[in-house]
Amino acid sequence: MNRIPFSTSSRFRQFPKSFSIRRKVPWWYKTLDPGSDFVNRWNHIFLISCLIALFIDPLYFFIPIVAGPACIKIDFGFGIFITLLRTVADLFFLFHMVLKFRTAFVARDSRVFGRGELVMDPREIAMRYLKTNFIVDLAASLPLPQFVIWFVIPAIKNPTANHANHMVSLIVLIQYFPRFFLIFPLHSRIVKTTGAIAKTPWTGAAYNLILCTLASHVIGATWYLWALERQHACWRRECRKEMQLRHSPCKLIYLDCSSVNWPDRQQWLNVTRATLKCDALTDTNHQQFGIFAPAFTNEVASARFIEKYFYCLWWGLKNLSSYGQNLMTSTISGENIFSITICVAGLIFFSHLIGNVQTYLQSSTVRLEEWRVKRRDTEEWMRHRQLPPELQERVRRFVQYKWLATRGVDEETILQSLPLDLRRQIRRHLCLALVRR
């Protein structure tokens, strides 16, 4: 038999190669489905990174320390470490913005019936994102503290530790608000796509405890920052009083630890009374230092970072849980506003914490409690009907067996809500072990 040589038709020979060879498109060119597993997994990862970033930012408040008599300096080693951590956190925010430019959205006009129609056009996705949340995401992702520390402060002539501290703290506080409010739409998006923020009761309880710890962390770091500001303000006030006297050599630069080895500063320390008048141990009436006195009476301002951090965290958690009832404030308005904020935040956070944690923990024991109530009702019914002891024992064994087999779950109700083919496969799987026996 003669073989007929295979010849490709000219029509198929001219077929485009892009259709004949299926190429894999990189993910950065794809348009992502907002309900896909990748987007859901990234939303959980980004939520964790947001919480970590919210923990990192208040650490900038611990950079200034009291490093000598009547002087404050910047801990540059700790500042570099915090800057590196924040840079890594900023990369997560930047990657989240990139994903938003590639994530489809449901058209508003198509939400009348069903799930809605996904808009996959990259141009429409980008225009919608630029008009909605782009400004907030951009404000949250900018590396402003790094820029201030490495470029702005070195460019200033004769920068002092107090001025650098004020500049960095102001930038961190301004940028903290968009980073904090970014969690709310992310939380709603996760709940909308997955049904719950946590899959297990213990995970949900831990999530709420982390939020409460975050609030205590922010309050403790802010308390430490304002304590140093109160101490520095007292030194400045006493120094200005001495500057009016001709025989006093006081200068404001002496309050910075960069001048600690100057001979004229040593002479000023020998004659000044600023260190005595600004001593928190002598402020017995809490009129000068108020709620910030423990930062100096317990030597928190000059302690190591680990000791300082845990003390401030404990201070924030203690006063947040007690609603600030033990705070002995002075008559300064800013201090009283801060104490009022602690009181209101304590009421909000702990009512939210107790309610949610109780709900999560009760959900893990609700089946067990229902089984106990049902077993008690069965015992009362058997005694009321005066069943023989052997029948009562058989009923008890059956109730125990059913609890061990189903853990209190009504299997029939679950099966009735499933499609017929899926119900048949589940029944076949459940009966397979019995048939094998």
Side-chain angles (χ1 to χ4, degrees):
M1 183 177 180
N2 297 329
R3 292 185 178 181
I4 301 175
F6 179 77
S7 61
T8 307
S9 174
S10 61
R11 181 178 59 185
F12 289 96
R13 240 179 297 163
Q14 297 176 359
F15 199 78
K17 293 183 179 180
S18 60
F19 289 91
S20 60
I21 301 175
R22 187 175 182 180
R23 297 180 179 179
K24 186 177 181 180
V25 181
W27 66 267
W28 51 84
Y29 289 127
K30 293 180 180 179
T31 301
L32 302 175
D33 186 356
S36 62
D37 294 337
F38 174 78
V39 175
N40 292 334
R41 195 179 301 112
W42 168 252
N43 287 335
H44 283 86
I45 295 174
F46 184 63
L47 178 63
I48 297 174
S49 65
C50 286
L51 293 176
I52 294 175
L54 292 177
F55 271 97
I56 291 175
D57 282 356
L59 294 179
Y60 278 102
F61 298 164
F62 294 100
I63 293 179
I65 58 175
V66 176
C71 74
I72 294 177
K73 79 169 186 177
I74 299 296
D75 190 352
F76 286 101
F78 181 70
I80 293 173
F81 176 71
I82 299 301
T83 300
L84 293 176
L85 291 180
R86 196 183 194 276
T87 303
V88 175
D90 291 342
L91 294 178
F92 282 87
F93 285 90
L94 183 61
F95 185 71
H96 183 68
M97 293 179 62
V98 174
L99 285 184
K100 276 195 171 183
F101 277 107
R102 308 302 304 176
T103 305
F105 66 95
V106 180
R108 187 182 298 273
D109 300 336
S110 63
R111 294 179 181 177
V112 180
F113 301 102
R115 181 173 178 267
E117 181 182 355
L118 286 177
V119 178
M120 309 294 289
D121 186 12
R123 186 176 181 278
E124 294 186 15
I125 295 173
M127 293 301 297
R128 178 180 180 272
Y129 179 47
L130 290 174
K131 292 179 181 179
T132 53
N133 300 326
F134 176 76
I135 300 299
V136 178
D137 293 344
L138 181 63
S141 62
L142 290 177
L144 296 181
Q146 297 94 310
F147 181 78
V148 171
I149 290 177
W150 295 109
F151 297 101
V152 176
I153 294 178
I156 300 176
K157 294 182 179 180
N158 299 324
T160 61
N162 189 55
H163 292 164
N165 179 33
H166 286 175
M167 194 178 302
V168 175
S169 302
L170 180 61
I171 293 298
V172 170
L173 286 175
I174 291 175
Q175 201 175 18
Y176 200 80
F177 289 101
R179 290 198 166 199
F180 177 74
F181 287 109
L182 196 64
I183 293 182
F184 295 101
L186 183 63
H187 185 280
S188 302
R189 198 178 305 119
I190 293 175
V191 172
K192 184 178 180 181
T193 54
T194 61
I197 196 67
K199 295 182 180 179
T200 60
W202 292 104
T203 306
Y207 174 71
N208 287 275
L209 286 174
I210 289 174
L211 293 179
C212 182
T213 307
L214 175 61
S216 304
H217 167 67
V218 174
I219 290 176
T222 306
W223 171 78
Y224 173 79
L225 178 68
W226 284 9
L228 289 188
E229 172 58 28
R230 182 66 62 86
Q231 177 72 82
H232 196 271
C234 182
W235 289 338
R236 289 198 310 269
R237 183 173 61 251
E238 296 300 325
C239 185
R240 288 194 178 97
K241 290 180 181 179
E242 294 180 358
M243 289 171 62
Q244 297 177 0
L245 304 176
R246 295 182 179 180
H247 65 275
S248 178
C250 183
K251 297 179 182 178
L252 292 179
I253 192 61
Y254 292 164
L255 305 180
D256 193 280
C257 288
S258 59
S259 63
V260 69
N261 294 324
W262 293 2
D264 51 353
R265 188 183 188 277
Q266 296 295 332
Q267 297 178 2
W268 169 73
L269 283 177
N270 296 330
V271 298
T272 185
R273 297 183 59 85
T275 55
L276 296 177
K277 292 183 178 180
C278 297
D279 190 0
L281 295 175
T282 60
D283 187 23
T284 56
N285 296 325
H286 303 281
Q287 295 299 320
Q288 185 170 348
F289 287 92
I291 62 175
F292 307 110
F296 307 102
T297 56
N298 296 327
E299 298 182 355
V300 178
S302 58
R304 295 184 302 171
F305 168 72
I306 297 297
E307 300 171 353
K308 181 190 310 180
Y309 172 75
F310 282 109
Y311 184 89
C312 294
L313 180 63
W314 160 244
W315 190 93
L317 184 61
K318 178 184 68 174
N319 290 283
L320 194 66
S321 59
S322 63
Y323 315 125
Q325 297 180 7
N326 298 323
L327 295 177
M328 302 294 293
T329 62
S330 62
T331 57
I332 299 177
S333 300
E335 182 180 341
N336 287 282
I337 292 175
F338 181 61
S339 302
I340 293 172
T341 304
I342 293 175
C343 179
V344 175
L347 290 172
I348 295 174
F349 273 97
F350 272 88
S351 60
H352 179 270
L353 174 67
I354 293 173
N356 285 319
V357 171
Q358 184 179 9
T359 301
Y360 279 115
L361 295 182
Q362 282 182 349
S363 64
S364 62
T365 58
V366 62
R367 294 293 182 185
L368 181 60
E369 189 63 29
E370 290 178 356
W371 174 69
R372 289 174 179 172
V373 173
K374 187 175 181 180
R375 188 177 61 176
R376 184 187 60 190
D377 294 342
T378 304
E379 292 288 340
E380 293 180 357
W381 174 78
M382 290 189 297
R383 287 195 298 268
H384 177 69
R385 291 298 183 179
Q386 298 180 358
L387 295 181
E390 60 274 8
L391 285 180
Q392 292 186 16
E393 185 63 27
R394 291 176 62 185
V395 170
R396 293 190 190 99
R397 287 201 302 266
F398 172 76
V399 172
Q400 182 71 19
Y401 164 77
K402 190 174 181 180
W403 165 255
L404 294 176
T406 63
R407 289 295 175 181
V409 179
D410 191 359
E411 293 182 346
E412 292 297 328
T413 304
I414 297 177
L415 290 174
Q416 291 298 326
S417 62
L418 297 175
L420 183 61
D421 56 343
L422 186 58
R423 193 188 316 168
R424 188 183 300 112
Q425 294 178 8
I426 293 175
R427 289 185 183 276
R428 186 183 300 116
H429 170 74
L430 295 177
C431 297
L432 183 60
L434 179 61
V435 171
R436 288 177 176 175
R437 286 198 299 258

